[in-house]
Amino acid sequence: MLRKVRKVVIPAAGLGTRFLPATKAMPKEMLCVVDKPIIQYAVEEAVASGIEHIIIVTGRSKSSMEDHFDIAFELEATLRERGKLDLVREARKVSDLASVSYIRQKEPLGLGHAVLAARDLVGDAPFAVMLPDDLIDSPRKAALRQMIEVFERTGDPVIALLKVALKDISAYGVIKGEQDAKDPRIYVLQELVEKPKMEDAPSDLAIMGRYILTPDIFEDLATTARDKGGEIQLTNGLRALSTRRRLLGYEFEGMRYDAGQKLGFLKATVDLALQRDDLGPALREHLKSLGL
Ligand code: G1P
């Protein structure tokens, strides 16, 4: 069986209502953390994980994303005229990252529906899904890479997991699983439930926005019933798939920020800026001067 993961699907069709008015004319995935749009963090993690082809599922206002990952001729020409060759290289780095395709999710019918929209572009091979709101900083090894390695060893679909406080659990898909005796980061999944009430949550292990999937998931997504809100949930498709094959959960190593929420977005901005040689020392001084 083919175990090479070359493609990633990045759903980026949300309305971004939490960030209005910033997202009135711009997709939330283009909001900037330090000096890069949120979606670029996901694309860079994918490339660092060996992914060659990025499929972005867009809704409205996709043109700014397309422009971002394309070559900016006019910008480059102006920068070149001004002798700013380092900035030309910086702009080019983005478009050189990977080959990017776009597909439109015509109706906002949920995450499972967004993944299903990429079916033809994915074809008959294993693929990854990344939700750009989950910004993961893992300096040692990209979180997606960690998961791809589990998939390459086992051939089983792999879902990212993170322990979260029970009071927050209802915001997530939640699993119950049996921890692997040899590798405590791995769980064999027994239950998956999307956004349960706290008292119904089967554990404190929440699903995070990184998945390594096999193409048989598309059949499940195509037949998964819509939920109460009329959406097709990826978690429900995965539960159907789990009746036919083994699914694994993986507690990845790395710091995850919920960049889809204002507080998580701010934390990511501060932490990632503090790590930078050009910004860290001055920002640290500033934070100290606040005497918090
Ligand atoms: C989605 C998934 C959910 C998962 C979460 C991770 O929910 O449906 O299972 O736990 O991403 O961020 P959303 O945040 O899009 O509502």
Side-chain angles (χ1 to χ4, degrees):
M1 193 190 61
L2 185 64
R3 292 207 181 159
K4 199 103 194 84
V5 183
R6 296 181 201 280
K7 295 184 182 178
V8 65
V9 177
I10 304 184
L15 291 177
T17 48
R18 288 197 183 106
F19 282 95
L20 280 170
T23 47
K24 196 173 164 204
M26 178 174 92
K28 70 170 171 183
E29 292 77 12
M30 287 301 289
L31 292 175
C32 184
V33 173
V34 189
D35 53 7
K36 279 187 280 195
I38 292 176
I39 193 162
Q40 192 176 334
Y41 288 91
V43 169
E44 288 182 0
E45 182 187 328
V47 172
S49 303
I51 297 287
E52 294 159 12
H53 188 165
I54 317 270
I55 301 160
I56 299 182
V57 183
T58 61
R60 45 176 212 126
S61 333
K62 67 169 179 166
S63 55
S64 59
M65 275 188 278
E66 281 190 22
D67 288 345
H68 185 73
F69 292 108
D70 198 358
I71 294 172
F73 284 111
E74 298 88 346
L75 174 67
E76 287 188 11
T78 312
L79 291 171
R80 221 174 264 120
E81 266 166 35
R82 296 186 186 161
K84 308 244 179 208
L85 294 181
D86 48 337
L87 292 182
V88 174
R89 273 194 295 276
E90 205 51 49
R92 223 359 128 88
K93 244 201 271 171
V94 183
S95 42
D96 285 348
L97 275 174
S99 90
V100 186
S101 311
Y102 300 86
I103 180 102
R104 194 107 176 178
Q105 183 185 10
K106 293 197 188 95
E107 295 170 280
L109 293 180
L111 179 57
H113 183 256
V115 172
L116 193 53
R119 183 177 196 164
D120 288 348
L121 284 175
V122 167
D124 193 26
F127 64 105
V129 174
M130 298 174 89
L131 309 187
D133 278 2
D134 286 325
L135 199 163
I136 302 177
D137 180 35
S138 42
R140 206 181 58 80
K141 190 185 281 182
L144 194 71
R145 181 72 225 155
Q146 299 170 35
M147 296 170 62
I148 287 176
E149 287 177 4
V150 175
F151 175 76
E152 284 172 349
R153 275 205 311 275
T154 62
D156 299 321
V158 185
I159 294 160
L161 299 177
L162 181 70
K163 286 205 171 93
V164 307
L166 273 180
K167 69 172 175 44
D168 300 325
I169 203 86
S170 311
Y172 298 98
V174 185
I175 67 102
K176 187 175 150 196
E178 193 185 320
Q179 199 166 21
D180 188 273
K182 283 200 217 100
D183 184 344
R185 290 187 180 277
I186 296 181
Y187 292 79
V188 177
L189 301 191
Q190 295 158 330
E191 266 180 54
L192 299 100
V193 40
E194 179 68 5
K195 303 197 173 86
K197 287 197 202 125
M198 191 170 94
E199 51 277 23
D200 299 335
S203 78
D204 61 350
L205 282 167
I207 299 174
M208 291 297 133
R210 302 287 183 278
Y211 308 78
I212 310 297
L213 301 177
T214 44
D216 44 0
I217 186 65
F218 290 121
E219 238 0 89
D220 293 295
L221 290 175
T223 51
T224 293
R226 295 187 183 187
D227 69 4
K228 279 188 230 123
E231 296 193 340
I232 298 174
Q233 296 301 339
L234 180 55
T235 305
N236 293 342
L238 287 167
R239 191 176 44 248
L241 182 63
S242 75
T243 61
R244 285 184 284 119
R245 66 182 298 164
R246 197 169 80 137
L247 303 187
L248 300 178
Y250 187 74
E251 260 190 287
F252 59 87
E253 183 191 313
M255 178 71 187
R256 172 259 183 185
Y257 301 92
D258 183 356
Q261 303 262 10
K262 283 175 203 169
L263 187 60
F265 181 89
L266 288 171
K267 286 181 184 170
T269 305
V270 172
D271 287 7
L272 295 180
L274 283 172
Q275 288 176 18
R276 295 255 301 239
D277 293 339
D278 57 342
L279 295 168
L283 181 59
R284 191 163 282 111
E285 277 310 302
H286 170 68
L287 293 174
K288 273 194 202 148
S289 78
L290 296 176
L292 302 170

